Amino acid sequence: MSSTETPATPVDHELSWPDPCEIAGTVRLVAPDGSRLSEDAVALSGHAVYAAAAARTTPDELRAMYRDMVLVRAFDREATSLQRQGELGLWPECRGQEAAQIGSAHALRPRDHVFPSYREHGVAHVRGLDLREILHLFRGTEHGGWDPTAHGFHIYTLVIGSHTLHATGYAMGIQRDGDVGTGTDRDRAVVAYFGDGATAQGDVNEALVFAATTNAPVVFFCQNNHWAISAPTTVQTTVPLVERGAGFGVPSIRVDGNDVVAVKAVTEAALERARSGGGPTFIEAVTYRMGAHTTSDDPTRYRERAEEDAWSQRDPIERLGALLRAEGLVDDAFFAGIDADATELTAGVRAYCRSLTPPPAESMFDHVYAAQHTLVDEERAWYGQYASSFEQAAAGS
């Protein structure tokens, strides 16, 4: 689906599948058809503070978020194709979750730090990471692929939920550095991204305990995409995930994760609370994984087509495109320009991916520790002798 086609197609909002964002307490500012909710409706739901924050989002910011969402989806689609063609070992799609990722990332400041799982391609893009660098990990040429400090964006963590402890520890560290509650630009915060399935992991629950008891400046951003591989959310929890935070004493909020305007407003508030010394917040962003869990998975084996069709009508990119159209903030040239940018991006991604070659095997010993380590030196020397034995054997044969 191209961005040019998106806003021209009327959004059918007569949905046949229940909309979980219609549950009371869920923050929604823009309806699935791209229309803003009225002030009265928002005030009645008790979310006027978020509507006020959203009103400060400029047309340039709305256009920028739309562009980011389209480019990330184009990159995601291209990476999926590359895996199907054997160029990548694996790929985790983020299709459908662009609003949750782009909206929350636009709420970040340069000094904030992000701990992603392995699907946050949209956040990486907004943090200034060249998306092609993500391919190193999934082509198997590097363990990480980028400098976390340069972008305030940690390397991907494939072990489910473990990075929430890293994020909490990092937040406790900046708290002790005095980077919280000064009321200046020095203040900063941490965000940990994870999925609904991770909330059942012990690491996530331990992280919430530490964050609450130390008042750590961390935002737990849970993307509830409704499926932990093949297990639906309904078999993972008997209560809405947002209620998990209260049990730990962490203020929590539920937001329509396909409404990029609401996501940005909610995340801005949570980050400001963390930076000012107010402590952690748990955000449940209700979204949908439109693709597979990874390219090793076949979602047609465990979910219904009607469900996928219903969520396709709540597409976050279509929603923002419709809003931009309705408010007269864009024209056809805007969409055509983004299409051209997406085409150029994907062409570059394919060429870049195919140019990646494995590094020397000895590089596995690099960066094991920050400082030189005797055991690692011994293992490096042993491997060198082992590898050279094959060359010697070949020379003697």
Side-chain angles (χ1 to χ4, degrees), residues 38-49:
S38 69
E39 291 184 8
D40 289 344
V42 174
L44 190 62
S45 65
H47 299 143
V49 63

Side-chain angles (χ1 to χ4, degrees), residues 59 93 101 118 181 183 207 213 245 247 252 260 269 279 304 332 359 369 374 392 394:
E93 291 183 79
Q101 298 188 10
Y118 50 80
T213 55
S252 306
V260 69
E304 299 179 28
D332 290 342
Y369 297 105
T374 304
Q392 294 168 2

Side-chain angles (χ1 to χ4, degrees), residues 23-39:
I23 295 176
T26 306
V27 180
R28 170 181 279 171
L29 302 177
V30 179
D33 66 357
S35 62
R36 288 187 192 265
L37 271 64
S38 69
E39 291 184 8

Side-chain angles (χ1 to χ4, degrees), residues 28 30 45 53 81 134 137 143 150 177 197 216 238 283 305 337 356:
R28 170 181 279 171
V30 179
S45 65
S81 297
I134 298 175
L137 175 65
H143 291 155
D177 286 341
T238 57
I283 297 174
R305 180 61 180 271
L356 296 176

Side-chain angles (χ1 to χ4, degrees), residues 108-116 123 127 147-155 166-167 170-171 174 188-193 217-219 271 275:
L108 290 160
R109 292 179 182 171
R111 279 174 53 77
D112 295 330
H113 201 90
V114 172
F115 284 80
V123 184
R127 295 301 280 173
D147 179 356
T149 304
H151 303 286
F153 187 81
H154 203 69
I155 58 174
H166 308 159
Y170 192 95
I174 66 175
R188 56 192 183 126
V190 176
V191 181
Y193 287 86
V218 56
V219 175
L271 284 168
R275 295 187 197 105

Side-chain angles (χ1 to χ4, degrees), residues 289-348:
R289 166 166 57 80
M290 296 172 73
H293 172 69
T294 70
T295 46
S296 65
D297 164 51
D298 178 7
T300 65
R301 301 287 297 274
Y302 54 78
R303 67 186 186 191
E304 299 179 28
R305 180 61 180 271
E307 176 183 329
E308 296 178 351
D309 289 345
W311 278 98
S312 71
Q313 296 178 63
R314 303 171 188 141
D315 187 295
I317 297 179
E318 288 190 20
R319 187 182 307 196
L320 182 54
L323 175 69
L324 290 168
R325 284 276 197 192
E327 298 191 348
L329 301 177
V330 295
D331 55 18
D332 290 342
F334 171 79
F335 294 114
I338 292 179
D339 276 347
D341 291 345
T343 300
E344 181 180 355
L345 170 69
T346 54

